[in-house]
Amino acid sequence: MIQDIFPSKMNITYSQKSASSNSRIMTFKDGKILAKFEEGKLDFPKLSELQCNAFYLFSIDEDDFFLTLENLNAELKGFEYSYLRDLRNLPLSSTRELFAAFTAFHLFVWYDTNRFCGKCGTQMVCDTIERAMVCPKCGTKFYPRINPAVIVGILHDGKILVTRYRTGYTHNSLVAGFCEIGETLEDTVRREVMEEVGLKVKNIRYYKSQPWGLAQDLLTGFFCELDGSDEITMDQNELKYAAWLTPDEIDLRPNEISLTNEMMGVFKNGQM
């Protein structure tokens, strides 16, 4: 999956370190990131190429990544602003830089939407000891927002329930949704399955998790078994397709960066 960058390792521990001329600068505009694709690898501009104010995000191995919130109209040879969903379709030799872009976008959205205090309206400043935005007037702190969500593989009689969304993501998917306040993850699984396809499930078991910066969420994957009737009642507003498929009927995406794709692959390959 996208976070599987071994032997590389991300260090996201908060720091106030200063950028050097070789630090990678993550800059976004209209939902796009400034990047370059060359010889199977993504790259991002260095501070020496942009000359902007930036603050530290994280490191991968020996490379430091910084974020600027300045509205740059940079024109650098080989670089262009691209949607992250387009970058994930490139023939990359490694997901290392793509994972950096996804994680940087997650933090960019949080920093960008917390410039002012939601309690008193004062302009926020970065905390000096942890990753948080703090109000210098009322002292309110805001921490990075992480949205918990579930991905559900429903199994029955040698088949898995596969869906497709009505808008947005166009490939095969599984039942999925965000947790509500007061819910356990297992409660979310039951509710989302009932809401999207009108089914009851049992024997819910955890599979794996994945940070997914595009939606600022932490995905938790579960497999479960059908409990009762297998007749699908599809949510027409959210889905355009829902069906029980055998392993041979499942079409996977060519890359393996998403938890959804991996879970369908696990079933397709007879590992469930």
Side-chain angles (χ1 to χ4, degrees):
M1 295 190 293
I2 191 173
Q3 74 272 15
D4 296 329
I5 58 175
F6 182 84
S8 292
K9 185 176 181 180
M10 174 179 283
N11 181 359
I12 202 157
T13 303
Y14 180 70
S15 171
Q16 287 192 306
K17 68 171 66 175
S18 299
S20 68
S21 60
N22 288 323
S23 296
R24 266 42 180 197
I25 304 300
M26 315 301 263
T27 177
F28 296 88
K29 183 169 69 174
D30 300 327
K32 301 177 181 180
I33 187 171
L34 188 63
K36 174 173 65 175
F37 175 68
E38 190 173 71
E39 298 181 351
K41 182 181 178 181
L42 283 177
D43 199 6
F44 310 100
K46 299 177 181 178
L47 180 62
S48 59
E49 298 172 300
L50 285 183
Q51 294 299 322
C52 59
N53 294 316
F55 48 92
Y56 177 76
L57 292 179
F58 50 79
S59 299
I60 299 181
D61 300 331
E62 301 302 318
D63 294 326
D64 292 334
F65 293 81
F66 285 71
L67 173 70
T68 181
L69 295 178
E70 295 179 11
N71 188 12
L72 303 177
N73 293 312
E75 293 184 7
L76 302 177
K77 184 177 180 179
F79 288 90
E80 62 180 1
Y81 282 99
S82 302
Y83 288 110
L84 272 71
R85 293 191 181 276
D86 293 332
L87 297 183
R88 62 178 288 185
N89 295 322
L90 295 173
L92 299 171
S93 58
S94 167
T95 60
R96 182 182 185 272
E97 280 69 32
L98 186 62
F99 185 44
F102 272 45
T103 307
F105 181 73
H106 188 162
L107 286 166
F108 161 72
V109 171
W110 174 69
Y111 278 116
D112 189 51
T113 55
N114 286 277
R115 298 184 187 225
F116 297 92
C117 178
K119 185 176 182 180
C120 71
T122 302
Q123 186 166 347
M124 304 286 280
V125 297
C126 290
D127 193 69
T128 58
I129 59 174
E130 58 182 341
R131 195 182 302 277
M133 299 296 286
V134 61
C135 176
K137 182 177 180 180
C138 70
T140 301
K141 275 191 178 184
F142 293 91
Y143 293 91
R145 177 175 175 173
I146 303 173
N147 304 312
V150 299
I151 300 286
V152 189
I154 311 166
L155 308 177
H156 172 62
D157 197 22
K159 298 180 181 180
I160 191 170
L161 198 148
V162 172
T163 67
R164 289 179 190 164
Y165 290 106
R166 184 160 295 281
T167 60
Y169 187 73
T170 59
H171 299 275
N172 282 344
S173 187
L174 301 173
V175 169
F178 291 100
C179 297
E180 299 287 352
I181 291 175
E183 279 188 329
T184 65
L185 294 170
E186 292 81 4
D187 287 338
T188 304
V189 168
R190 297 184 189 95
R191 176 181 55 78
E192 286 292 343
V193 171
M194 178 56 68
E195 289 179 354
E196 292 193 8
V197 292
L199 299 173
K200 294 182 179 180
V201 294
K202 62 182 179 181
N203 298 332
I204 300 168
R205 53 198 183 276
Y206 172 76
Y207 171 68
K208 192 181 287 186
S209 65
Q210 178 179 48
W212 194 251
L214 285 181
Q216 298 85 62
D217 51 359
L218 178 64
L219 300 174
T220 50
F222 292 89
F223 284 102
C224 57
E225 298 171 12
L226 180 69
D227 184 13
S229 172
D230 64 356
E231 183 177 351
I232 298 169
T233 304
M234 188 176 71
D235 181 351
Q236 300 284 344
N237 293 322
E238 187 164 353
L239 303 178
K240 63 179 180 182
Y241 171 84
W244 295 104
L245 300 184
T246 64
D248 292 340
E249 294 174 316
I250 294 176
D251 293 323
L252 299 175
R253 294 204 64 178
N255 61 52
E256 299 179 350
I257 68 171
S258 73
L259 177 59
T260 303
N261 204 60
E262 179 174 311
M263 290 176 65
M264 288 191 293
V266 165
F267 174 77
K268 184 178 179 67
N269 296 326
Q271 297 169 276
M272 286 303 302

